[in-house]
Each structure stands twice: as C-alpha cells, then as structure tokens.
C-alpha cells in the first residue's frame, strides 16, 4: 500500500481522511458492495483527532435527545458489541457512575437520569452515597450521590479503527497514505487532484476531522461550519493504580465538556482527563505541566490513593469541535458529496453508526458482499489472552506492555504496516509502558530496520 503510487482507476466512493470515522465508513461501504478508496494526508492512519481519546464505548446516555449525535452513538454502540467478537476486538464491561461532589451538582442528577431514559438507556438508576462507596471503597468520602450506567465499556481505540480499515482492505478497498487532496472538480463524478496523483470517484465523503471545514471549502467552495479545535490532556497512571477503581467515574457534565473522567483502560492503566481547552491550532497537541498538575490534583480529590501512584505518561488529543452543538453531516446530493464534520469526543462510540447513516444518505444500490473476509487484529488488552502467553512468539520485546517479537513482526509484514514509530505503538503498544521505551528501543530499532518511513529517533509525533 504505497504512499506515493497514484491510484489510477475510478472508484464509487473516495473517502478523505483515515481517522476512526473514515475507517468505519470505508468498511461499511465496502461491505455494501462499493468500490472504495481512502485518501489520508498523513503517513499513517489515525494520525489526527483519533489518536488521542478516553477509549470508552459510550451508551450515549447524556447526548442531546433527538440529536444526530445521539442516534449515531446508539447505532454505533449496538453494532460495536455485535461485531467485536468476530473482529477479535477486546471489550471490558465496567459500567460507569456519574457522581456529584457539590449540592449544585446533586440537584442536576434527576434531570440527567431523565435524559438517559429519553435516550433509551433505561438501566440508568440512582445511587446513594453509601451504595457508591460500597462499590468503590477507594473513592473520596466527599462524594454526595450519583447514578450508574451499567452498559459502558472499555475498548481499544486504535485496534477498533484498524479492524475497520483492515476489513475494508481485505474486501477490496484501497488506502493511500501520504496523499493530500489538493483540489477537485465535479462533472458527473469527481476528479480529485492529490499529492499522489489524480483520483476519479462517483462520490466523495469528507471525513477530514480537524480539517473538515477546509476540505469542504476546497472542494465545494463553501463551508457551513468552522472547526475550533479543543485540546484534551490526559494523565496515565501506572497499572498498579487499576486496583483502586473498577468502574468509570464520570463528573456531572457541563454544556461544553463531559469533565474530568477517572477510569481504567483496557490496557490496565488508570486514565485521568481530559482538559477542555479551545485553541486555534489544528496541530498543537502538546501537554503542559500546569494543566497536568491540575489533572493530578483533580484525580486525587476523587481517588485519594492516586497520590501514591506513579504517572506513566501524559498525552493530549484534539477534538474537532465547532460553533454548533450537533454533528455536521450533510449530503450535497447535486454534487454527490457528503460532509462528515465536527465529530467530537463521541466519535469512537458513534463511528459505526455514522457509517450506516452515510450509507443511507448515499443509497449506492450495490449488492452487499455475501461472505466478506474478516481479518483479526492482535488483542492487546490486559484483561484478555495475549500473544506472550502463546508458544513460539519470538520472546517478549517490550516487558512493560508484554509485547512479543511476533506481534511486532506481524504488523510490519501485514496488509497495513506502520509508517512511523507512533503507528507501530498504536498497533502493538510497544514502548508505551512504564519505561517509555528505555529498555526496548534498541531491539525495536533492530526489528523495524528500514521498514518505517520515519526512522526511530526522528520526530513523527
């Protein structure tokens, strides 16, 4: 899947952007029988907004009732649970609790429960302070009340998207990375000018995430929303902290953010975050000490024993928010073009639902694949069987995350090999543990050799 070889033939659909939503739409349309090409300007998939999130499969209990976002989350949540086993995706049902820490927050709980029921999440139920502390004895006794959402899950955010695009590729789709769409003309079909050469497609779906408004402007000559990136910084505590909490701890949300979450990850760590910082830059995903210290203090307020736990790392993600509250998905039928924009923090949960919604808008009238190929991704969860437990795995290379040589070799020789070290990390978790690669970088550099487009040691963040 070369990044520089130009796609030459014509496609039913060209999808711009290989984040989780673009990957999900590629899978859906391919399974529906369409000939699909995915064009990604970065060297690897998931290199934009999709590379940093909280890795939770949400029920959508708190989405605005009647919104497109809520409908897509509900549909995506349901389909994810239907296909996860077949695709080898780990899911860990932990449930969640929304907790009130002040009298003002406590007053909001009944309305939030009512909203959840309106959204069809009917098992949401109130909890007393005593019930909360009985379930989570390490929580601060300052908690006042809350409610439970039993159907929330932890998932692997990168394996999910990789599974979507790999199934699309296994069934005939094509992916071109390092291929930016520069311009396009619609004349009974699209002719796109890209950095990898011309592409012809009957339809275009814009899933460009943080650049969605700019791509609309570039191809349609107009845009109906403006992306206002919202940075979310996260702290990752060492795996020992996972003994302190079993469910996902959510705050009472505000109009602009779901607030700071404390949760385990499917990789065995504890996550605290995100912040919610509006900014102009579409690329600045840096972290800063002051914000991270606030997050740490906030986490300790809720879970005091976190003060004794080490922080493994920190990261930040950029959410493609805009000035409007709902997703911006629009079918420009006269030009065979669909905008899929402003998919904020709920995109991981809603991606499969968005894909079905877009397929419904396009109405391509193809014959769905009768027996599609179903490739498997490596399961990297700490709560499920792993390759290091199997024979002939080549030995453990990354001892912090228990990543084997066979897992690394498998993705390097697979149908979508990583182009960068960050891409390798997302596929294997190598170098993402406690030592952050201090002990395994040399061996991983030996294994990867010259197979990464950006050699180890060069900045590819």
């Amino acid at each position: 899947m070369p990044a520089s070889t130009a796609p030459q033939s014509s496609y039913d659909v060209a999808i711009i952007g290989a984040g989780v939503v673009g990957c999900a739409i590629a899978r859906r349309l391919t399974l529906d029988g369409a000939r699909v090409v995915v064009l990604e300007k970065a060297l690897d998939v998931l290199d934009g907004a999709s590379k940093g999130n909280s890795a939770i499969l949400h029920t959508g209990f708190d989405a605005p009732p009647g919104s497109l976002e809520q409908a897509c989350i509900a549909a995506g949540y349901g389909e994810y649970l239907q296909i996860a086993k077949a695709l080898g995706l780990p899911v860990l049902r932990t449930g969640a609790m929304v907790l009130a820490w002040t009298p003002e927050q406590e007053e909001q709980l009944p309305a939030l429960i009512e909203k959840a029921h309106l959204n069809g999440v009917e098992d949401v139920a109130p909890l007393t302070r005593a019930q909360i502390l009985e379930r989570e004895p390490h929580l601060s006794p300052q908690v006042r009340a809350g409610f439970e959402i039993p159907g929330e899950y932890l998932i692997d955010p990168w394996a999910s998207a990789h599974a979507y695009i790999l199934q699309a590729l296994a069934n005939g789709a094509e992916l071109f990375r390092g291929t930016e769409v520069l311009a396009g003309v619609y004349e009974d079909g699209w002719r796109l000018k890209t950095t990898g050469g011309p592409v012809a497609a009957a339809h275009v779906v814009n899933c460009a995430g943080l650049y969605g408004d700019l791509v609309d402007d570039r191809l349609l000559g107009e845009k109906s929303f403006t992306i206002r990136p919202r940075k979310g910084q996260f702290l990752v505590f060492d795996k020992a902290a996972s003994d302190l909490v079993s469910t996902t701890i959510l705050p009472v949300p505000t109009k602009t953010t779901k607030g700071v979450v404390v949760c385990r990850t499917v990789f065995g760590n504890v996550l605290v975050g995100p912040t919610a910082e509006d900014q102009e830059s579409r690329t600045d995903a840096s972290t800063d000490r002051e914000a991270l210290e606030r997050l740490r203090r906030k986490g300790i307020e809720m879970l005091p024993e976190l003060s004794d736990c080490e922080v493994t790392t920190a990261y930040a993600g950029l959410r493609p928010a805009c000035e409007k509250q709902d997703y911006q998905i629009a079918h420009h039928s006269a030009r065979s073009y669909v905008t899929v924009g402003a998919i904020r923090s709920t995109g991981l949960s809603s991606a499969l639902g968005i894909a079905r919604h877009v397929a419904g808008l396009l109405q391509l009238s193809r014959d769905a694949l009768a027996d599609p190929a179903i490739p498997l991704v490596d399961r990297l969860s700490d709560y499920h069987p792993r390759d290091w437990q199997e024979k002939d795995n080549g030995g453990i290379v990354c001892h912090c995350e228990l990543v084997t040589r066979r897992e690394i070799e498998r993705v390097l020789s697979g149908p979508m090999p990583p182009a960068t070290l960050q891409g390798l990390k997302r596929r294997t978790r190598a170098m993402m543990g406690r030592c952050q690669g201090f002990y395994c970088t040399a061996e991983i550099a030996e294994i990867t050799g010259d197979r990464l487009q950006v050699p180890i040691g060069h900045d590819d963040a």
Side-chain angles (χ1 to χ4, degrees):
M1 176 173 325
S4 58
T5 302
Q8 295 295 326
S9 55
S10 181
Y11 302 88
D12 292 324
V13 184
I15 297 171
I16 302 173
V20 64
V21 173
C23 292
I25 293 174
R27 171 185 174 272
R28 177 74 274 145
L29 298 180
T30 301
L31 295 181
D32 286 349
R35 187 154 188 242
V36 171
V37 63
V38 181
L39 307 171
E40 169 56 54
K41 76 171 186 175
L43 291 177
D44 211 342
V45 302
L46 310 184
D47 204 50
S50 297
K51 66 183 176 184
N53 57 65
S54 56
I56 297 172
L57 182 65
H58 286 296
T59 57
F61 74 95
D62 58 347
S67 65
L68 180 58
E69 180 179 14
Q70 189 278 326
C72 289
I73 294 173
Y77 173 91
E79 184 171 353
Y80 194 96
L81 294 179
Q82 289 176 5
I83 67 173
K85 184 176 181 180
L87 294 177
L89 295 170
V91 292
L92 183 65
R93 183 167 181 158
T94 61
M97 295 194 294
V98 171
L99 301 183
W101 302 87
T102 68
E104 293 76 19
Q105 292 175 356
E106 190 173 357
E107 289 178 359
Q108 298 181 53
L109 296 178
L112 290 170
I113 293 173
E114 183 179 357
K115 177 190 280 189
H117 293 165
L118 283 173
N119 284 333
V121 189
E122 297 176 354
D123 56 357
V124 167
L127 294 171
T128 65
R129 176 179 178 275
Q131 289 173 318
I132 294 165
L133 292 174
E134 182 179 7
R135 295 184 185 193
E136 296 291 347
H138 299 283
L139 276 175
S140 167
Q142 299 302 314
V143 68
R144 298 179 62 88
F147 61 84
E148 64 175 340
I149 313 103
E152 301 263 308
Y153 288 80
L154 304 180
I155 61 175
D156 179 341
W158 305 307
S160 304
H162 289 148
Y164 303 157
I165 189 66
L166 285 171
Q167 190 175 25
L169 297 176
N171 289 284
E174 296 182 61
L175 167 66
F176 291 89
R177 293 175 283 178
T179 303
E180 181 178 1
V181 174
L182 302 172
V185 175
Y186 180 76
E187 292 177 352
D188 198 25
W190 280 95
R191 288 183 289 118
L192 301 175
K193 178 183 178 183
T194 81
T195 54
V199 175
H203 305 268
V204 164
V205 179
N206 170 15
C207 300
L210 291 161
Y211 299 88
D213 55 340
L214 302 184
V215 169
D216 269 6
D217 198 28
R218 189 174 290 178
L219 297 185
L220 298 178
E222 60 182 346
K223 59 181 182 179
S224 58
F225 61 96
T226 300
I227 293 295
R228 294 175 177 171
R230 183 169 297 152
K231 180 190 292 186
Q233 300 187 48
F234 292 86
L235 276 181
V236 181
F237 283 83
D238 192 40
K239 293 176 188 287
S242 64
D243 292 337
L244 300 178
V245 61
S246 61
T247 192
T248 295
I249 306 300
L250 302 168
V252 173
T254 69
K255 289 183 178 179
T256 56
T257 176
K258 292 179 181 294
V260 174
V261 177
V262 177
C263 66
R264 286 189 288 167
T265 73
V266 79
F267 310 118
N269 301 94
V270 167
L271 199 65
V272 179
T275 58
E277 308 163 45
D278 292 331
Q279 62 181 35
E280 294 297 322
S281 173
R282 300 174 192 244
T283 58
D284 178 10
S286 61
T287 58
D288 69 85
R289 187 179 186 87
E290 183 178 341
L292 296 177
E293 287 181 345
R294 283 199 303 272
L295 278 181
R296 184 171 182 275
R297 288 195 297 271
K298 187 67 178 177
I300 292 171
E301 281 180 18
M302 292 186 276
L303 206 60
E305 290 171 67
L306 274 180
S307 61
D308 300 323
C309 298
E310 293 186 10
V311 172
T312 298
T313 189
Y315 66 91
L318 299 179
R319 289 159 265 175
C322 79
E323 71 276 23
K324 302 178 181 179
Q325 293 299 312
D326 204 352
Y327 290 171
Q328 298 301 296
I329 301 179
H331 186 202
H332 308 267
S333 56
R335 286 182 280 185
S336 300
Y337 184 101
V338 178
T339 298
V340 182
I343 312 300
R344 297 176 294 273
S345 60
T346 51
L348 178 64
S349 300
S350 64
L352 294 170
I354 292 172
R356 285 198 177 271
H357 180 71
V358 170
L361 293 174
L362 289 173
Q363 293 288 319
L364 294 178
S365 301
R366 300 289 188 272
D367 293 329
L369 302 186
D371 187 21
I374 306 177
L376 298 177
V377 293
D378 279 329
R379 187 174 283 179
L380 303 177
S381 164
D382 266 25
Y383 302 96
H384 299 81
R386 289 281 306 275
D387 191 57
W388 66 269
Q389 298 164 310
E390 303 295 327
K391 295 180 179 178
D392 303 323
N393 56 36
I396 296 174
V397 176
C398 170
H399 286 264
C400 296
E401 294 298 314
L402 300 173
V403 182
T404 68
R405 177 176 282 263
R406 180 166 60 189
E407 287 175 314
I408 296 172
E409 292 282 7
R410 195 149 49 203
V411 298
L412 288 170
S413 59
M416 188 179 64
T420 65
L421 177 59
Q422 296 304 318
L424 178 68
K425 289 180 177 181
R426 290 193 287 270
R427 287 166 175 80
T428 65
R429 288 197 57 77
M431 303 171 65
M432 297 186 77
R434 183 179 300 157
C435 83
Q436 293 289 291
F438 183 83
Y439 291 106
C440 61
T441 298
E443 187 172 358
I444 291 173
E446 175 266 318
I447 296 171
T448 55
D450 61 358
R451 289 188 278 184
L452 300 180
Q453 291 189 43
V454 181
I456 291 177
H458 291 70
D459 185 15
D460 67 348

